Amino acid sequence: MGYFDAASSAPLHPVARQALLASLDEGWADPARLYKEGRRARLLLDAAREAAAEAVGCRADELVFTSSGSRAVHTGVAGALAGRRRVGRHLIVSAVEHSSVLHSAEAHEAGGGSVTQVPVDRGGAVDPIAYGAALRADTALACLQSANHEVGTEQPVGAVAQVCREAGVPLLVDAAQTLGWGPVDGDWSLLTASAHKWGGPSGVGLLVVRKGVRFAAQGPVDERESGRAPGFENIPAIVAAAASLRAVRAEAAEESVRLRELTDRIRAGVPRLVPDVEVVGDPARRLPGIVTFSCLYVDGEALLHELDREGFSVSSGSSCTSSTLTPSHVLRAMGVLSEGNVRVSLPPGAAEEDVERFLEVLPRAVAAVREKLGAPVASEVVREEDVLVVDSLGKRCPIPVIELAKVIGDVPVGGLVRVLSDDEAARLDIPAWCEMRGQEYVGEEPADQGTAYLVRRAS
């Protein structure tokens, strides 16, 4: 099967299916009741908590089950900030966190708190020194993902946790992408994860709050899950989540080697088979199954449709595949090309022949999309003294970049091309194109409509 979007949601693991079906008959009662059905449900819940805690590397009474990974993040961030409100209201996040973390940061800022976003390098990794520089006397909480969900780059959690620990600041780690591969290193304080990322059922998240961390749950609470996740527990799903986590961990060492070899083939094969491609993300410190690349002069949505017709399910961070028409915040923070972006995330068990067929299909899919986009019409290119002006107003990327590429050779070395565009993605894609093609990006300036991007021909 050509399902290559496991980073969004992994297929249900066979062990999860078996555990879910088996516990439907045993785990339906209220685990808070003392009669035999309730006691039976409580045993299942307690056993699942013990298994999950063992996988995380924490105490069972430090872990609660939530209704999703996003809910775990929202609860963890809000509770940690409230628990340390006497220290201050400063929150630190990386610029490439999952949207659930960034949405929590936005809500905190809207409520009067302050937020610092730590930048990343071109590979998508943070610098622990930058986290240390962001720490302040009023910092209540810092957040860092264990690995990036879009490009697979692993973050230096251990080093950042040490910096935060020395400053007395708790670190919340979003481990959604890595918990199925192994425990998170470092002296972190809070941790969140989501079962459907490792092959468990959807609707189950984990929130771990270490003993000694000041935490005040926000909103209405009840007696369930230590008051941190109100509502009736979905015991069959929780049992399936814990069972599948244990199962994927048992397979992780061998499967990670196999998937890394397959993604290495894609990383090496795509630039060789498809011209004008940028493979993004750290080449070494990355998750086993994720590889991401961006194709110049390609509409991301059209490429995804082409690949879907060929039987491959992939995702994209391109602006033209999102409802907001803005590029992925991850790709923007990295400063890499966003147009024609494709994320391949292989599920455990992905077949070698499917990867080889993907590499056969991709070149003609990209070529078909590029052919459909065509070339700009001559009337859209004019000269203003010694500057060539490309009018791409009202056109979405990659059209502005295509038109720039078509005319850069029409100016002498040292000459300027002025690209007019009102697509937000052009702010990222034009500088990225310049870096890929060895041209000089001069900068941007206001225009009567949209923005003017200046490019100097360097070669």
Side-chain angles (χ1 to χ4, degrees):
M1 119 177 136
Y3 179 76
F4 288 176
D5 196 21
S8 292
S9 189
L12 192 66
H13 194 283
V15 169
R17 185 183 301 276
Q18 294 169 5
L20 182 65
L21 294 175
S23 57
L24 285 172
D25 292 331
E26 299 290 330
W28 52 268
D30 188 344
R33 303 306 177 198
L34 298 180
Y35 40 71
K36 65 178 183 298
E37 293 87 356
R39 296 196 304 272
R40 192 179 302 133
R42 170 56 64 180
L43 286 173
L44 288 174
L45 181 59
D46 288 346
R49 197 184 314 278
E50 290 282 353
E54 180 182 3
V56 171
C58 67
R59 293 170 38 154
D61 59 356
E62 294 175 330
L63 184 149
V64 299
F65 295 105
T66 65
S67 59
S68 69
S70 292
R71 173 52 59 191
V73 167
H74 296 162
T75 300
V77 171
L81 287 171
R84 286 174 49 82
R85 61 186 176 274
R86 292 185 179 180
V87 173
R89 303 198 64 196
H90 179 232
L91 170 66
I92 301 174
V93 300
S94 84
V96 294
E97 294 298 313
H98 187 267
S99 59
S100 60
V101 174
L102 298 183
H103 291 160
S104 291
E106 290 170 4
H108 176 62
E109 200 165 25
S114 59
V115 177
T116 296
Q117 279 199 8
V118 177
V120 296
D121 60 23
R122 194 170 175 83
V126 301
D127 183 351
I129 296 176
Y131 258 80
L135 290 167
R136 306 187 326 207
D138 64 339
T139 302
L141 177 68
C143 299
L144 179 64
Q145 59 192 191
S146 53
N148 186 258
H149 50 292
E150 289 195 28
V151 300
T153 298
E154 294 180 330
Q155 300 291 359
V157 173
V160 172
Q162 181 178 352
V163 169
C164 291
R165 178 66 66 179
E166 291 172 353
V169 174
L171 177 68
L172 183 150
V173 178
D174 171 16
Q177 291 296 335
T178 64
L179 196 58
W181 297 109
V184 177
D185 294 332
D187 195 9
W188 47 266
S189 300
L190 301 96
L191 180 141
T192 63
S194 186
H196 72 101
K197 301 292 188 180
W198 66 67
S202 58
V204 179
L206 304 181
L207 170 61
V208 179
V209 181
R210 295 283 200 192
K211 292 296 182 184
V213 175
R214 298 186 67 85
F215 190 93
Q218 299 300 286
V221 299
D222 60 26
E223 72 282 0
R224 299 181 187 276
E225 296 302 298
S226 303
R228 293 172 182 169
F232 199 95
E233 298 94 341
N234 185 347
I235 294 178
I238 288 171
V239 170
S244 58
L245 180 56
R246 177 176 286 178
V248 298
R249 279 291 189 82
E251 304 160 354
E254 182 177 351
E255 189 64 11
S256 66
V257 172
R258 197 181 71 85
L259 289 186
R260 196 174 294 278
E261 193 276 331
L262 293 178
T263 53
D264 282 344
R265 287 194 207 178
I266 298 174
R267 289 182 66 88
V270 169
R272 176 173 50 84
L273 298 169
V274 182
D276 296 317
V277 165
E278 180 180 17
V279 180
V280 301
D282 193 289
R285 290 181 52 86
R286 58 185 175 86
L287 291 174
I290 296 180
V291 56
T292 305
F293 54 89
S294 299
C295 307
L296 272 174
Y297 322 132
V298 169
D299 176 281
E301 186 172 12
L303 180 55
L304 263 59
H305 287 322
E306 286 286 338
L307 291 172
D308 187 36
R309 280 193 285 270
E310 295 283 355
F312 291 99
S313 304
V314 298
S315 63
S316 173
S318 293
S319 60
C320 46
T321 63
S322 71
S323 59
T324 60
L325 299 184
T326 58
S328 152
H329 71 278
V330 172
L331 301 178
R332 186 169 62 244
M334 293 168 62
V336 299
L337 185 71
S338 74
E339 67 185 53
N341 178 260
V342 173
R343 179 188 68 182
V344 174
S345 50
L346 303 178
E352 179 180 356
E353 53 267 28
D354 285 341
V355 171
E356 292 300 325
R357 189 167 67 86
F358 175 78
L359 291 173
E360 293 177 6
V361 164
L362 181 67
R364 64 174 179 264
V366 172
V369 174
R370 286 174 172 167
E371 183 179 3
K372 289 177 184 176
L373 289 172
V377 298
S379 61
E380 295 173 334
V381 179
V382 298
R383 284 191 178 273
E384 290 182 359
E385 299 178 351
D386 295 329
V387 179
L388 195 64
V389 179
V390 176
D391 186 354
S392 293
L393 294 170
K395 298 180 179 179
R396 289 164 51 189
C397 274
I399 296 300
V401 185
I402 291 176
E403 295 183 347
L404 167 62
K406 296 289 186 182
V407 303
I408 191 72
D410 294 341
V411 299
V413 174
L416 287 175
V417 177
R418 190 170 187 257
V419 183
L420 300 177
S421 178
D422 51 10
D423 183 357
E424 179 65 25
R427 180 168 283 111
L428 176 64
D429 288 347
I430 290 176
W433 178 88
C434 291
E435 181 163 338
M436 290 178 67
R437 309 303 288 175
Q439 306 300 340
E440 179 187 352
Y441 177 64
V442 177
E444 63 179 72
E445 60 186 21
D448 292 339
Q449 297 181 59
T451 303
Y453 301 91
L454 296 177
V455 177
R456 189 184 310 279
R457 183 180 175 188
S459 60

